[in-house]
Amino acid sequence: MYTKQDEQRLYEQAKQLLSSNVADAGRQADQLREVINYADWKYYVQSDPALSDFEYDSLFKQLKHLEDKYPELVTADSPTQRVAKGLSERFPTVSHLVPMLSLDNTYNAEDLTDWDRRCRELAGTDTIEYCVEPKYDGASISIIYDNGHLSRGATRGDGVMGEDVTANIRQIKAIPLSAELVKQGISQIEIRGEIVIHKSVFEAINKQRVAEGQSPLANPRNAASGTLRILDPAEVKKRGLNAILYHISDYTLNDGAQRPEGLNTHYGSLQWLYSLGFPTPAKEMKRFSHIEDVIKYCSEFEEIRDTLAFEVDGLVIKVNEFALQDKMGMTSHHPRWAVAYKFKARQATSKLRRVEFQVGRVGTITPVAKIDPVHIGGVTVTSVSLFNEDVVREKDLRIGDTVLVERAGDVIPYIVKPLTELRNGEEEPIVFPKTCPACNSELEKQQDEAAWRCININCPVQVVERMIHFASKDAMDIRSMGNANVQKFFEDKILLDIPGMYHIDWDRVQQLGGFGEKSVTNLKQSIEQSKVQPLNRLIFGLGIRHIGETTAKTLASAVSDITEFYSWDIEKLSMLEDIGPKVATSVVDFFARPENRAMIEKLAASGVNLKNEHKGQMKTDGELAGKTFLFTGTLSQFKRSDAEARVEAMGGAILGGVSSKLNYLVAGTDAGSKLEKAKKLGTVNILTEQEFLSLIEGA
Ligand code: IVH
């Protein structure tokens, strides 16, 4: 849709329009429309706003003003003409074939024993076979197949009507778009299930969000249900949702068709669906004929809940025979033939006593709620991050509030909401500090950011946090350094800054006490070893804002020495894969600062590797010496790794992205954005695979 260059240009165009007028009203209106459309795309489709609300509103007002003044300038597709229809076009509402009921809950053995007794009374039998399966914590959906084709997918909504999210459901690879249902005699079927997000995918999304300065999503359930409602199916696809189907709510047989054999029991129906390619808990479900065995299984399963790939908040126990289910029927809220056994709550209430403001590595001030200790899922929680001021305002949190705290699985605890009905009028607002709690410097807030920041580079907390980050496992991996040691060395003035790690006065360390010879030797050794870490680890370790591990790798592979970045500008950085204006600006700012350059010089003087190993190994005498290559698209005669190895063997180097440093781009079939970039740049020699072959053979 928009290339990196488009984005860069439009971002700058927006900034320019905010600060000055264009002489020609027609051109100004065109430019405004272009940037507003771009901002809409970023906001609604990418969920990654390019402009602050204030900036967006002023641009919109400018355009409205111009169009009011010169009505001949209005175009049919102007963003001002969309307002009547409403930008946040919702999904259409649809009726479920059968209302989506919820389940009655049980919490202990006694509840289950009671439920079993009622079931046997209702069924009029002594024993009932139960089927037990996980209760997945995601977003419930209903999907319909007509003549074997997925025809509709809807959210639960109010149970009777839901939102039609078919386009998004179609992005979920676990859900077949068609199945051999007609052969099975089924003309229409409605299946219920849960959209879930893999815990590891959830963690990856949050890691990315935090690295980009956004607040993390609360739990996998919210991430799944939020994703299901994203308006752009392509974005949904990227999020890697999964699905588990656990109930057939309705089906119609073809004229004269026999009911498939499996459709007599719940167990059979999920096996049957599974055999047709549907994701069901076929492997996880268990059958029991005595409630004591169900109870035993429930407590065993609760123990292993954290080892599962998806968040599970309980088990569901269902009467297995469909004939019995029909006999037992349902109340207006839930079926009588099924019940949920809920695991111990991972939510609890507590009192919000005060809010501390913590200073992060890059100066971000994070409000942290201090609450009365509360046990949630085997852990005592006393501190809960509130992320930023916007979160506090949105939730309307106040000191003295009773708050609902949730801890989903391994996910960090968060405050769901204040229980406003329990307020007594003595609650006090949370006041954000104007100055840094660590160094007292005035805090700043950028217009497009939610967080306040301390911009004092020498703020002691930031200095310590930067050193901790530098030494951390994913950065320079100075094993024995640890948070406590950094803190202690800093307090004792043994360690004042990152370069100081390589000049520790070991006599003083030994005087400190608590450090045996062995620990000193280990520490010395891990410091020494860190000097040869690859460049990407150093770049990550420097703690440049918005630079996560992946971006650090991209940056490292673009240079042969870190100091090359001293002369890189935003434009050049933006040419690299996945680097946008925000990240590029941050990199330029970092390397422009004299104190950062001084730090890099000191590291170099201590023998820390500043070079890109990959390029360091570059042969200077090969036929391709000094030449840089990048492969894109599919090659037919080589595996990409083999082609790259050929280049390197001949002294050439492989780059990570298209930049002005790139000499040759070898474009296979289906080459995409890299090829476009290279063409635009105009300085790159673009080769077909055949041309590349002749080059290396003729070289
Ligand atoms: S059976 C009539 N089975 O839990 C059948 N529900 O609290 C009703 N859920 O709305 C659903 N895992 O969204 C069923 N294995 C499972 C489930 C499950 C999760 C959800 C479902 C339901 C909610 C009830």
Coordinates of all heavy atoms in Angstrom, one line a residue, residues 480-481 484-486 488-489 492 494 506 508-521 523:
S480 N 28.0 -12.8 34.9 CA 28.0 -12.6 36.4 C 27.7 -11.2 36.9 O 27.8 -10.9 38.1 CB 29.3 -13.1 36.9 OG 29.8 -14.2 36.2
M481 N 27.5 -10.3 36.0 CA 27.3 -8.9 36.4 C 26.0 -8.8 37.2 O 26.0 -8.4 38.3 CB 27.3 -8.0 35.1 CG 27.4 -6.5 35.5 SD 28.8 -6.1 36.5 CE 30.0 -5.4 35.4
A484 N 22.0 -6.6 40.7 CA 22.4 -6.2 42.1 C 23.8 -5.7 42.1 O 24.1 -4.7 42.7 CB 22.2 -7.4 43.0
N485 N 24.7 -6.4 41.3 CA 26.1 -6.0 41.3 C 26.2 -4.6 40.6 O 27.0 -3.7 41.1 CB 26.9 -7.0 40.5 CG 27.3 -8.2 41.3 OD1 27.0 -8.2 42.6 ND2 27.7 -9.3 40.7
V486 N 25.5 -4.4 39.5 CA 25.6 -3.1 38.8 C 25.2 -2.0 39.8 O 25.9 -1.0 40.0 CB 24.7 -3.1 37.6 CG1 24.6 -1.7 37.0 CG2 25.2 -4.1 36.5
K488 N 25.2 -2.0 43.1 CA 26.1 -1.9 44.2 C 27.4 -1.2 43.7 O 27.9 -0.2 44.4 CB 26.5 -3.3 44.6 CG 27.1 -3.4 46.0 CD 27.1 -4.9 46.4 CE 28.0 -5.2 47.6 NZ 27.8 -4.5 48.8
F489 N 27.9 -1.6 42.5 CA 29.1 -1.0 42.0 C 28.9 0.5 41.7 O 29.8 1.3 41.9 CB 29.6 -1.6 40.7 CG 30.1 -3.1 40.9 CD1 30.3 -3.9 39.8 CD2 30.4 -3.6 42.2 CE1 30.8 -5.2 40.0 CE2 30.8 -4.9 42.4 CZ 31.0 -5.7 41.3
D492 N 28.8 2.5 45.0 CA 30.2 2.6 45.5 C 31.1 3.3 44.6 O 32.4 3.2 44.8 CB 30.7 1.2 46.0 CG 30.0 0.7 47.2 OD1 30.3 1.3 48.3 OD2 29.2 -0.2 47.2
I494 N 32.3 2.4 41.9 CA 33.3 1.6 41.2 C 32.9 1.5 39.7 O 33.8 1.4 38.8 CB 33.2 0.1 41.8 CG1 33.8 0.2 43.2 CG2 33.9 -0.9 40.9 CD1 33.7 -1.1 44.0
W506 N 39.5 -3.8 40.5 CA 39.2 -5.1 41.2 C 39.6 -5.1 42.7 O 39.0 -5.8 43.5 CB 39.7 -6.3 40.5 CG 39.1 -6.4 39.1 CD1 39.6 -6.0 37.9 CD2 37.8 -6.8 38.8 NE1 38.7 -6.2 36.9 CE2 37.6 -6.7 37.4 CE3 36.7 -7.2 39.6 CZ2 36.3 -7.0 36.8 CZ3 35.5 -7.5 39.0 CH2 35.3 -7.4 37.6
R508 N 39.2 -2.7 44.7 CA 38.0 -2.1 45.4 C 36.9 -3.0 45.5 O 36.2 -3.1 46.5 CB 37.6 -0.8 44.7 CG 38.6 0.3 45.0 CD 38.1 1.7 44.6 NE 36.8 2.0 45.3 CZ 36.0 2.9 44.8 NH1 36.2 3.5 43.7 NH2 34.9 3.1 45.5
V509 N 36.7 -3.8 44.4 CA 35.6 -4.8 44.5 C 35.9 -5.8 45.6 O 35.0 -6.1 46.4 CB 35.5 -5.6 43.1 CG1 34.5 -6.7 43.2 CG2 35.1 -4.6 42.0
Q510 N 37.1 -6.2 45.7 CA 37.4 -7.2 46.8 C 37.3 -6.6 48.2 O 36.8 -7.3 49.1 CB 38.8 -7.8 46.6 CG 38.7 -9.2 46.0 CD 39.8 -9.6 45.1 OE1 40.7 -8.7 44.7 NE2 39.9 -10.8 44.7
Q511 N 37.6 -5.3 48.3 CA 37.4 -4.6 49.5 C 35.9 -4.5 49.9 O 35.6 -4.4 51.1 CB 37.9 -3.2 49.5 CG 39.5 -3.1 49.6 CD 40.0 -1.8 49.1 OE1 39.3 -0.8 49.0 NE2 41.3 -1.8 48.7
L512 N 35.0 -4.5 48.9 CA 33.6 -4.4 49.2 C 33.1 -5.5 50.1 O 32.1 -5.3 50.8 CB 32.8 -4.5 47.9 CG 32.5 -3.2 47.1 CD1 31.7 -3.6 45.9 CD2 31.8 -2.2 47.9
G513 N 33.7 -6.6 50.0 CA 33.2 -7.8 50.8 C 32.1 -8.5 50.0 O 31.5 -7.9 49.1
G514 N 32.0 -9.7 50.2 CA 30.9 -10.5 49.5 C 31.4 -11.0 48.2 O 30.6 -11.7 47.5
F515 N 32.6 -10.7 47.8 CA 33.1 -11.2 46.5 C 34.3 -12.1 46.7 O 35.4 -11.6 47.1 CB 33.5 -10.0 45.6 CG 32.3 -9.3 45.0 CD1 31.8 -8.2 45.7 CD2 31.7 -9.7 43.8 CE1 30.7 -7.6 45.2 CE2 30.6 -9.1 43.3 CZ 30.1 -8.0 44.0
G516 N 34.1 -13.4 46.6 CA 35.2 -14.3 46.7 C 36.0 -14.3 45.5 O 35.7 -13.6 44.5
E517 N 37.2 -15.0 45.5 CA 38.1 -15.0 44.4 C 37.4 -15.5 43.1 O 37.6 -15.0 42.0 CB 39.3 -15.8 44.7 CG 40.6 -15.3 44.0 CD 41.8 -15.8 44.7 OE1 42.0 -15.4 45.9 OE2 42.5 -16.5 44.1
K518 N 36.7 -16.6 43.4 CA 36.0 -17.3 42.3 C 35.0 -16.3 41.6 O 35.0 -16.3 40.3 CB 35.3 -18.5 42.9 CG 34.5 -19.3 41.9 CD 35.3 -20.6 41.6 CE 34.5 -21.5 40.6 NZ 34.9 -21.3 39.2
S519 N 34.2 -15.6 42.4 CA 33.2 -14.8 41.7 C 33.9 -13.6 41.0 O 33.5 -13.2 39.9 CB 32.2 -14.2 42.7 OG 32.7 -13.7 43.8
V520 N 35.0 -13.1 41.5 CA 35.8 -12.1 40.8 C 36.3 -12.6 39.5 O 36.2 -12.0 38.4 CB 36.9 -11.5 41.7 CG1 37.8 -10.6 40.8 CG2 36.3 -10.7 42.8
T521 N 36.9 -13.8 39.5 CA 37.4 -14.4 38.3 C 36.3 -14.6 37.3 O 36.5 -14.3 36.1 CB 38.0 -15.8 38.6 OG1 38.8 -15.7 39.8 CG2 38.9 -16.3 37.5
L523 N 33.5 -13.0 37.0 CA 33.1 -11.7 36.5 C 34.1 -11.1 35.5 O 33.7 -10.7 34.4 CB 32.9 -10.8 37.7 CG 32.1 -9.5 37.5 CD1 30.8 -9.7 36.7 CD2 31.8 -8.8 38.8

